[in-house]
Amino acid sequence: MSTASINGWCLTSTSPSTQSSSLRRATLRPSVVTNLNSSVSPPTLIRNRPVFAAPTPLLTPSNWREDMGNKSYEEAIEALKKLLSEKGELKAAAAAKVDQITAELKTTSSDGKPFDSVERLKDGFIYFKKEKYEKNPALYAELAKGQSPKYMIVACSDSRVCPSHVLDMQPGEAFVVRNVANMVPPYDQTKYSGIGAAIEYAVLHLKVQEIVIIGHSACGGIKGLMSFPYDGTTSTDFIEDWVKIGMPAKTKVQAENSGEPLAVQCTCCEKEAVNVSLGNLLSYPFVRHGLVKKTLALKGGYYDFIKGTFELWSLQFALSTPLSV
């Protein structure tokens, strides 16, 4: 094994193991580890006066007045309470939500002002337009013609691990699929047609060169996988069945780290689940075809946002020379 440091990147190469079967088994080995110390540029957007039109309300209370928008949130809550008490057809459970709504309305931003979700979206778009869209007319003109990304990235839906932000990807560079715990299920035209369609489109139509599956630290989906009993009982409608895709990773981690605390096991499983998903990609015929033709490569990644590090490894796939006797 050899290691070299190039411009802050630590590159590690490992000699491939001897393979004797007619079809070499896929092997996973780390190839890149890097510390991300530099800050990432903030995102950037189409109109200085964006239009945000609210739909006409389906229910107009009898005590609705034009000046209600000028009142404070305390007055709005009182009006809501009055509405709930007047509307007998509303379920009693709705009244119990008033305290929750009150707490949400009282959520403040860093400057102490109540959080305005619509203003946040408007401000974000305007910033994007001024700092990105208008400063890169050639890029967006080219994107208007179509897309030809080099990567397909499968990442977690976790709000802290946006791959475009973490990897400083520009629009058009990556075709991104995000789901709970960055899972890739086995090929199944019925049960998992959503992500199957994304993989098919990326490989056959966009002709991406690499599929990268990225796990991350403190993943709630992996913690759920490691915590759910899977004893025939369920506490969720979708989550348990979905993260169960990573069950081989859970089984391996528990066997190899049985004496470790849950937090340590979760960290191991966050990486091992990526390997399971890489293996599942091999069940897609168009992925296998791309690997055989060497038009496609598969990689696994792990982003630790606590330590500020990123790991990258490759899945090696090859066919051996046929043996004639």
Side-chain angles (χ1 to χ4, degrees), residues 7-309:
N7 294 331
W9 289 77
C10 179
L11 306 180
T12 303
S13 61
T14 306
S15 301
S17 59
T18 303
Q19 298 163 325
S20 58
S21 61
S22 61
L23 175 63
R24 297 180 186 176
R25 300 180 60 187
T27 58
L28 299 166
R29 58 188 177 88
S31 61
V32 179
V33 179
T34 178
N35 290 322
L36 304 178
N37 297 320
S38 59
S39 59
V40 181
S41 301
T44 42
L45 236 174
I46 293 187
R47 229 189 263 203
N48 286 328
R49 300 177 58 191
V51 177
F52 291 83
T56 304
L58 298 177
L59 172 65
T60 303
S62 57
N63 60 346
W64 186 277
R65 299 189 310 277
E66 292 296 328
D67 63 343
M68 286 187 71
N70 298 325
K71 294 187 175 298
S72 65
Y73 69 83
E74 290 92 347
E75 292 173 299
I77 285 296
E78 290 304 317
L80 177 58
K81 289 180 179 179
K82 185 176 181 181
L83 173 62
L84 290 173
S85 64
E86 290 177 350
K87 294 291 180 179
E89 70 272 15
L90 294 178
K91 294 181 179 180
K97 291 289 184 180
V98 171
D99 290 339
Q100 177 183 342
I101 296 173
T102 302
E104 292 175 353
L105 287 173
K106 288 181 178 179
T107 301
T108 57
S109 58
S110 57
D111 58 5
K113 298 178 181 178
F115 177 70
D116 189 322
S117 61
V118 174
E119 285 299 319
R120 170 61 186 86
L121 296 177
K122 289 168 62 177
D123 292 344
F125 181 81
I126 292 170
Y127 177 82
F128 164 78
K129 179 194 171 183
K130 291 181 178 179
E131 299 300 322
K132 301 285 186 179
Y133 190 87
E134 293 180 346
K135 291 183 178 180
N136 296 278
L139 170 63
Y140 288 95
E142 192 65 28
L143 292 176
K145 301 174 184 177
Q147 60 172 327
S148 55
K150 299 296 187 290
Y151 301 94
M152 176 183 182
I153 295 179
V154 180
C156 186
S157 300
D158 193 302
S159 62
R160 301 166 292 181
V161 296
C162 175
S164 296
H165 188 77
V166 172
L167 300 177
D168 195 27
M169 290 285 187
Q170 299 303 308
E173 280 194 89
F175 182 73
V176 181
V177 173
R178 300 181 68 177
N179 61 49
V180 172
N182 43 268
M183 296 285 183
V184 173
Y187 180 92
D188 189 321
Q189 289 181 294
T190 303
K191 191 174 183 181
Y192 303 118
S193 59
I195 190 166
I199 297 171
E200 180 181 18
Y201 187 74
V203 174
L204 296 183
H205 298 276
L206 296 178
K207 301 188 183 305
V208 298
Q209 297 175 7
E210 296 192 357
I211 300 179
V212 186
I213 303 174
I214 303 175
H216 69 91
S217 57
C219 180
I222 295 299
K223 184 177 181 180
L225 170 65
M226 296 298 296
S227 305
F228 291 135
Y230 291 105
D231 56 2
T233 62
T234 58
S235 58
T236 64
D237 290 336
F238 301 101
I239 299 172
E240 284 159 282
D241 186 58
W242 173 254
V243 298
K244 189 169 62 175
I245 294 168
M247 185 62 74
K250 175 179 181 177
T251 301
K252 179 180 180 180
V253 168
Q254 288 182 331
E256 297 178 353
N257 303 272
S258 58
E260 299 292 343
L262 178 62
V264 174
Q265 292 187 20
C266 285
T267 298
C268 295
C269 193
E270 287 162 358
K271 298 180 181 180
E272 195 59 46
V274 171
N275 294 338
V276 169
S277 289
L278 286 171
N280 287 341
L281 278 173
L282 298 179
S283 66
Y284 293 78
F286 34 85
V287 171
R288 292 198 304 272
H289 182 268
L291 291 171
V292 171
K293 295 297 183 181
K294 299 188 183 300
T295 59
L296 183 66
L298 305 183
K299 288 184 171 61
Y302 183 77
Y303 169 49
D304 189 329
F305 60 80
I306 298 173
K307 298 179 180 178
T309 59

